[in-house]
């Protein structure tokens, strides 16, 4: 296959294909601070008793001291709904990952219409995302996920992912036979091969959602707060989640805009 990628682009591409993910330092600090500040303010509006003097990620790390598990989902849904109405937050989310998205996916992108938010309190079994690949439930294999932690994530406070090599071996077998219809059984079969992501606040993760991934019970003393959003090349194939319904264009170029409006003249 002919490739005119630069040396840097080739290195980035090879690393992503080998690992199934990349961890990148956020260069657009202004966009990150906009997202960070907005979520902090929304939490303080819901829980005004929280000390506004928390620094950096402390308000997120210590959320379990103020939010009970039974009210956690209500808070999460409220925050997600508020994010949906804030185009500037979506724009900031795209901006902080734009450079690496251009290398991995392309520069004409469709972005998930809703930003997702995950809050996992210590020892909370209600916020688990069992092992899965997004393509198993109708997502296009051409999508990537940009995962943004608002706190340092490590061990059980993070997410896990199966490498491309191990996934290829797994997919050579009949999945239903391995799992016996249970995600718990599947997890136990591949547990030793899973890579738990170690990522710091101020970084973001871009990963291949075709690979099995998920999380486990957070056994640390701190809360995990993270966001995620899917991106794909706007002209790559869609599956059940289509353009307009689930995705929206965010970076169409002039030639594409013009081409989509073009009609041949009458002869």
């Amino acid at each position: 296959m002919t490739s005119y990628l630069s040396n840097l682009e080739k290195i980035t591409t090879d690393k992503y294909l080998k690992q199934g993910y990349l961890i990148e330092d956020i260069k657009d600090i202004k966009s990150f601070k906009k997202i960070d500040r907005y979520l902090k303010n929304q939490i303080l509006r819901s829980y005004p008793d929280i000390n506004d003097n928390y620094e950096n990620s402390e308000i997120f790390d210590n959320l379990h001291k103020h939010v009970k598990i039974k009210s956690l989902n209500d808070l999460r849904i409220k925050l997600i709904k508020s994010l949906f109405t804030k185009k500037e937050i979506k724009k900031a989310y795209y901006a902080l990952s734009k450079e690496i998205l251009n290398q991995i996916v392309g520069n004409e992108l469709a972005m998930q219409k809703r930003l997702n938010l995950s809050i996992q309190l210590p020892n909370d079994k209600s916020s688990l995302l069992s092992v899965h690949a997004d393509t198993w439930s109708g997502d296009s294999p051409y999508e990537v996920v940009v995962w943004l932690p608002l706190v340092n994530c490590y061990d059980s406070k993070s997410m896990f992912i199966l490498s491309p090599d191990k996934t290829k071996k797994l997919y050579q077998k009949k999945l239903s036979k391995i799992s016996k219809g249970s995600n718990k059984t599947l997890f136990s079969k591949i547990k030793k091969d899973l890579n738990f992501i170690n990522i710091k606040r101020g970084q973001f993760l871009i990963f291949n959602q075709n690979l099995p991934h998920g999380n486990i019970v957070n056994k640390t003393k701190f809360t995990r707060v993270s966001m995620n959003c899917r991106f794909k090349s706007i002209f790559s194939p869609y599956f059940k989640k289509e353009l307009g319904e689930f995705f929206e264009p965010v970076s169409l170029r002039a030639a594409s805009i013009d081409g989509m409006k073009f009609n041949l003249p009458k002869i």
Side-chain angles (χ1 to χ4, degrees):
M1 181 176 65
T2 302
S3 175
Y4 296 136
L5 298 178
S6 68
N7 287 335
L8 177 60
E9 289 171 329
K10 287 177 182 177
I11 291 170
T12 302
T13 298
D14 290 344
K15 187 176 180 181
Y16 177 82
L17 292 175
K18 183 178 180 179
Q19 288 188 163
Y21 68 88
L22 295 172
I23 294 174
E24 298 289 321
D25 292 333
I26 295 173
K27 297 177 182 177
D28 189 344
I29 303 301
K30 184 178 179 181
S31 290
F32 176 69
K33 285 184 176 180
K34 180 178 289 188
I35 295 168
D36 184 65
R37 185 167 54 249
Y38 177 78
L39 284 175
K40 282 181 179 177
N41 289 340
Q42 290 300 306
I43 289 172
L44 289 171
R45 286 179 64 182
S46 296
Y47 292 86
D49 59 311
I50 296 179
N51 188 347
D52 195 13
N53 292 326
Y54 274 127
E55 296 182 3
N56 297 324
S57 65
E58 289 177 353
I59 191 171
F60 302 120
D61 264 323
N62 293 286
L63 204 55
H64 56 281
K65 296 178 181 178
H66 308 276
V67 181
K68 303 298 182 184
I69 290 177
K70 63 181 181 181
S71 58
L72 177 60
N73 196 50
D74 289 339
L75 173 63
R76 190 181 71 87
I77 291 173
K78 185 177 181 179
L79 291 173
I80 289 175
K81 284 183 177 179
S82 72
L83 286 167
F84 184 63
T85 65
K86 299 295 180 181
K87 288 188 177 181
E88 66 269 25
I89 301 300
K90 283 191 65 181
K91 186 177 181 180
Y93 202 96
Y94 165 62
L96 67 82
S97 53
K98 178 180 178 180
E99 183 178 339
I100 197 68
L101 281 169
N102 285 352
Q103 293 186 53
I104 298 300
V105 187
N107 65 2
E108 290 192 290
L109 297 174
M111 180 180 183
Q112 185 177 333
K113 296 177 78 171
R114 287 184 180 270
L115 293 173
N116 284 325
L117 177 75
S118 175
I119 304 174
Q120 193 177 17
L121 307 182
N123 301 308
D124 174 20
K125 296 181 180 179
S126 69
S127 302
L128 296 182
L129 193 59
S130 57
V131 59
H132 69 288
D134 296 358
T135 45
W136 299 352
S137 56
D139 283 276
S140 167
Y142 294 86
E143 298 168 21
V144 301
V145 176
V146 173
W147 195 81
L148 178 68
L150 280 302
V151 294
N152 293 335
C153 294
Y154 48 87
D155 301 331
S156 61
K157 193 186 174 191
S158 188
M159 60 166 280
F160 62 75
I161 191 167
L162 190 66
S163 72
D165 285 346
K166 296 295 183 181
T167 298
K168 184 177 180 181
K169 291 179 181 178
L170 177 68
Y171 283 5
Q172 288 172 347
K173 304 171 185 177
K174 195 169 184 179
L175 209 57
S176 59
K177 188 175 181 180
I178 298 171
S179 67
K180 297 179 181 178
S182 165
N183 282 10
K184 189 175 180 179
T185 301
L186 177 60
F187 177 81
S188 68
K189 295 287 186 181
I190 64 175
K191 183 178 178 179
K192 62 179 176 51
D193 296 321
L194 295 174
N195 179 22
F196 281 81
I197 302 297
N198 188 344
I199 184 170
K200 297 177 181 178
R201 171 182 162 88
Q203 298 179 314
F204 68 89
L205 171 77
I206 179 170
F207 72 90
N208 179 353
Q209 46 88 59
N210 304 328
L211 305 174
H213 58 279
N215 65 16
I216 60 175
V217 174
N218 176 9
K219 293 294 185 181
T220 74
K221 296 179 181 180
F222 303 100
T223 297
R224 171 169 70 82
V225 180
S226 61
M227 300 175 68
N228 67 83
C229 186
R230 297 181 180 91
F231 292 86
K232 66 186 297 298
S233 173
I234 194 167
F235 296 115
S236 61
Y238 294 80
F239 278 50
K240 291 183 180 179
K241 297 176 179 178
E242 299 179 351
L243 187 66
E245 177 186 350
F246 189 84
F247 287 98
E248 62 181 350
V250 294
S251 56
L252 274 177
R253 305 295 171 170
S256 296
I257 294 171
D258 194 53
M260 292 167 73
K261 297 186 295 184
F262 177 75
N263 289 305
L264 283 168
K266 294 180 180 180
I267 300 175

